[in-house]
Amino acid sequence: MTPVLSVQSIESYYGQFQALSGISIAVEEGQTVAIIGANGAGKSTLMKAIAGVHPPTKGAIQFRGKPISGSSAYALVQQGIAMVPEGRRIFPSLTVEDNLLVGAYSGRKGQWTLDKVYELFPILKERRKNGGTDLSGGQQQMVAVGRALMSNPELILMDEVSLGLAPIVVNEIYEVIRRIAALGTTILLVEQDVSRGLREASYVYCLLEGRISLEGKPSDLKKEEISRAYFGI
Ligand code: ATP
């Protein structure tokens, strides 16, 4: 079966600095795949390459078998790929509701509507008239996830959704991510918390200095090999 997302031998640079070296990953339909790795391993760069924010200089990226490398972020959303960016990127001058509606601009039809997003995050309905940044970090993350859902994606890319949030809020966000996955959306997420990544994903890739140092189903991976792949020792 053709994977939903296939990344083949990509390389990515910032000026002279090579951030990714020959990265290949595959994400199958309905899977939740986690990218784990230490600070600076290249996780965000990989997400940015897929999302069209920082296109790779070499290699190929395919969505359902069609090349997407070099496509704009807008074109990707229209095809069914949504991104929950690191740092949430909420529009401060817009209300919660308008921030969510921004996600619907692609006009893709599907199960996700404002009402459905409010069902998933009731607190956002209460706060719908609030300014986008007049919210806790967890609520802002909910807006970022809700905004991605509003584009009715087939694949969601999530970059460090738990960053800077209290453990109880992280639990809540992941509870929702599990529900989204159960509804059939394919998810690729970056997670710095290794045990969280291993718990939530059906398949993981570990990055180390821009390369894949380990991959597999969490149940097949041993603690020591994960430590080695994560820290490079
Ligand atoms: P973190 O968990 O800290 O976000 P990461 O695994 O997501 O780390 P990246 O942000 O992808 O790592 O960074 C990979 C490498 O690329 C790092 O060495 C980083 O310093 C470098 N890098 C990232 N963004 C830029 C940039 N805009 N310009 C120059 N170098 C960059």
Side-chain angles (χ1 to χ4, degrees), residues 118-209:
Y118 285 148
E119 241 174 69
L120 202 61
F121 300 114
I123 187 71
L124 296 188
K125 188 169 188 183
E126 280 174 36
R127 301 279 160 94
R128 66 186 183 281
K129 300 277 186 254
N130 283 49
T133 49
D134 185 18
L135 301 169
S136 69
Q139 289 162 0
Q140 288 188 28
Q141 192 57 273
M142 292 172 194
V143 173
V145 173
R147 182 177 58 192
L149 291 174
M150 288 292 286
S151 70
N152 276 298
E154 292 168 31
L155 170 68
I156 304 193
L157 310 172
M158 299 185 174
D159 197 353
E160 308 221 14
V161 289
S162 56
L163 202 68
L165 302 179
I168 188 163
V169 181
V170 176
N171 286 342
E172 266 178 56
I173 300 269
Y174 269 101
E175 169 67 40
V176 167
I177 292 173
R178 268 178 248 131
R179 280 165 68 187
I180 296 167
L183 289 167
T185 307
T186 307
I187 299 174
L188 176 63
L189 54 88
V190 160
E191 185 50 75
Q192 237 193 13
D193 176 345
V194 179
S195 47
R196 171 66 75 174
L198 294 169
R199 202 155 64 233
E200 303 291 344
S202 45
Y203 201 87
V204 296
Y205 291 92
C206 184
L207 287 194
L208 177 69
E209 294 174 357

Side-chain angles (χ1 to χ4, degrees), residues 14 17 19 37-46 48 86 160 192:
Y14 296 105
F17 176 73
N39 276 340
K43 307 179 296 299
S44 292
T45 305
L46 173 57
K48 285 179 191 156
E86 188 178 358
E160 308 221 14
Q192 237 193 13

